[in-house]
Amino acid sequence: MGKSRNQRRRPAAEVVTETVDGGLAQLIPDPDRGRAWTLLIDGAPQSHVDLDDPAYLSFEYQRRLGHVIDLVAPPGKPVHVVHLGGGAFTLARYVAATRPRSTQQIVERDASLVQLVRRELPLDPSARIRVRSVDAREGLAKVPDGWADLVVSDVFSGARTPAHLTSAEFLDEVRRALNPTGVYAANLADGPPLAHLRGQIATAAARFTELALAADPAVLRGKRFGNAVLLASDRPLPVAELTRRAASDPHPGRVEHGRQLTDFTGGAVPVTDAAAVASPAPPPSVFR
């Protein structure tokens, strides 16, 4: 005789709460997916992970970065990736699932967060992923010259990108770590009047020959605070395919490049270490 519906039902997962270096971390179970969790730090959503389906990307900006990962090399080809900012290791899991035998380095300063994620959301032991608990720029400096096919910057402290990860000197380190055809991808957060975003585009333009920006049109119009993914490389970027994928997302995005992206900067100048400031804090309404 079969089990009753109540007997078959999976026990509800409980919220995991722990203090980490960056604040109060919470792992919230996803009610719609069996072994999926959302990581929050001080109430701000950081990552979503599905342990049963690591190729599933829930957050809008992570989907855009997923498109970059898909297009950085032929499908399935192993790549070398540096992740600045770890969160719950969502994008590293995605690379491991979609590009087996890839070699990855995660640089996540918050050692207690790393311990929490490793314990509660363990990585596939066969994945070639190394995690370093040091500052992002310090960890990047240890990457061998020309090692990376892709450098992803997704670093937030108190929901703000630290100032020392916004400068031209920082991008010099990124370029050193990338191979000649490598790609830099940064998750940037800003709201009206978009001064931070414009400055980051101008800074990248001073160090790379090819740029593209993917974001919600409302963010690009300065109508609301949100995320934008900036791509930079010294090789032509797959703009047409990126545009198609962004437009077909559950939350459709727009891709800007070329003259339109240059015009978007509005005369902003590159950011240097001496003048760098952290990205603006999001308004409280963003996380409600």
Side-chain angles (χ1 to χ4, degrees), residues 132-217:
R132 287 177 166 159
S133 295
V134 296
D135 173 77
R137 196 153 155 179
E138 179 183 342
L140 180 63
K142 297 182 183 302
V143 175
D145 292 3
W147 182 85
D149 298 297
L150 175 65
V151 173
V152 178
S153 180
D154 185 17
V155 182
F156 288 86
S157 176
R160 304 176 71 183
T161 302
H164 69 297
L165 304 181
T166 68
S167 68
E169 291 90 341
F170 164 67
L171 290 186
D172 287 337
E173 271 299 304
V174 170
R175 286 199 74 200
R176 181 200 57 76
L178 285 170
N179 64 45
T181 61
V183 176
Y184 171 63
N187 175 32
L188 307 173
D190 200 7
L194 300 178
H196 173 71
L197 184 57
R198 297 181 205 278
Q200 288 303 285
I201 297 166
T203 306
R207 292 298 185 267
F208 293 93
T209 58
E210 301 288 334
L211 301 181
L213 185 75
D216 184 308

Side-chain angles (χ1 to χ4, degrees), residues 4-270:
S4 71
R5 182 178 177 184
N6 286 340
Q7 287 174 311
R8 289 197 305 268
R9 185 178 298 155
R10 179 180 63 87
E14 295 183 355
V15 175
V16 178
T17 302
E18 195 165 305
T19 300
V20 297
D21 298 342
L24 185 67
Q26 293 176 290
L27 289 171
I28 311 292
D30 185 334
D32 299 321
R33 303 181 74 89
R35 296 177 67 223
W37 303 78
T38 299
L39 168 67
L40 283 72
I41 304 290
D42 287 340
Q46 301 288 325
S47 303
H48 180 279
V49 168
D50 189 332
L51 295 178
D52 290 332
D53 183 9
Y56 173 77
L57 298 175
S58 175
F59 288 6
E60 180 181 320
Y61 85 88
Q62 289 184 329
R63 288 185 59 81
R64 304 206 201 293
L65 288 169
H67 299 327
V68 176
I69 292 165
D70 293 343
L71 297 172
V72 76
K77 181 182 178 182
V79 290
H80 288 179
V81 186
V82 177
H83 302 268
L84 303 178
F89 311 158
T90 303
L91 291 171
R93 298 173 201 267
Y94 182 85
V95 172
T98 59
R99 296 185 176 277
R101 303 184 310 283
S102 291
T103 304
Q104 303 183 75
Q105 296 187 34
I106 297 173
V107 183
E108 171 54 64
R109 182 174 186 170
D110 194 330
S112 51
L113 175 62
V114 169
Q115 291 176 353
L116 170 65
V117 172
R118 281 190 179 278
R119 185 184 74 235
E120 299 294 335
L121 309 174
L123 289 165
D124 180 344
S126 67
R128 300 175 180 179
I129 301 173
R130 179 180 181 180
V131 185
R132 287 177 166 159
S133 295
V134 296
D135 173 77
R137 196 153 155 179
E138 179 183 342
L140 180 63
K142 297 182 183 302
V143 175
D145 292 3
W147 182 85
D149 298 297
L150 175 65
V151 173
V152 178
S153 180
D154 185 17
V155 182
F156 288 86
S157 176
R160 304 176 71 183
T161 302
H164 69 297
L165 304 181
T166 68
S167 68
E169 291 90 341
F170 164 67
L171 290 186
D172 287 337
E173 271 299 304
V174 170
R175 286 199 74 200
R176 181 200 57 76
L178 285 170
N179 64 45
T181 61
V183 176
Y184 171 63
N187 175 32
L188 307 173
D190 200 7
L194 300 178
H196 173 71
L197 184 57
R198 297 181 205 278
Q200 288 303 285
I201 297 166
T203 306
R207 292 298 185 267
F208 293 93
T209 58
E210 301 288 334
L211 301 181
L213 185 75
D216 184 308
V219 173
L220 293 179
R221 291 196 301 268
K223 297 295 186 182
R224 69 172 181 86
F225 193 98
N227 296 82
V229 170
L230 175 64
L231 304 185
S233 183
D234 287 328
R235 61 142 164 159
L237 293 165
V239 173
E241 182 61 17
L242 186 65
T243 299
R244 187 188 69 78
R245 293 186 181 214
S248 62
D249 264 345
H251 300 283
R254 194 169 84 215
V255 175
E256 298 284 10
H257 65 100
R259 179 60 184 271
Q260 285 181 311
L261 188 55
T262 301
D263 291 345
F264 178 78
T265 63
V269 298

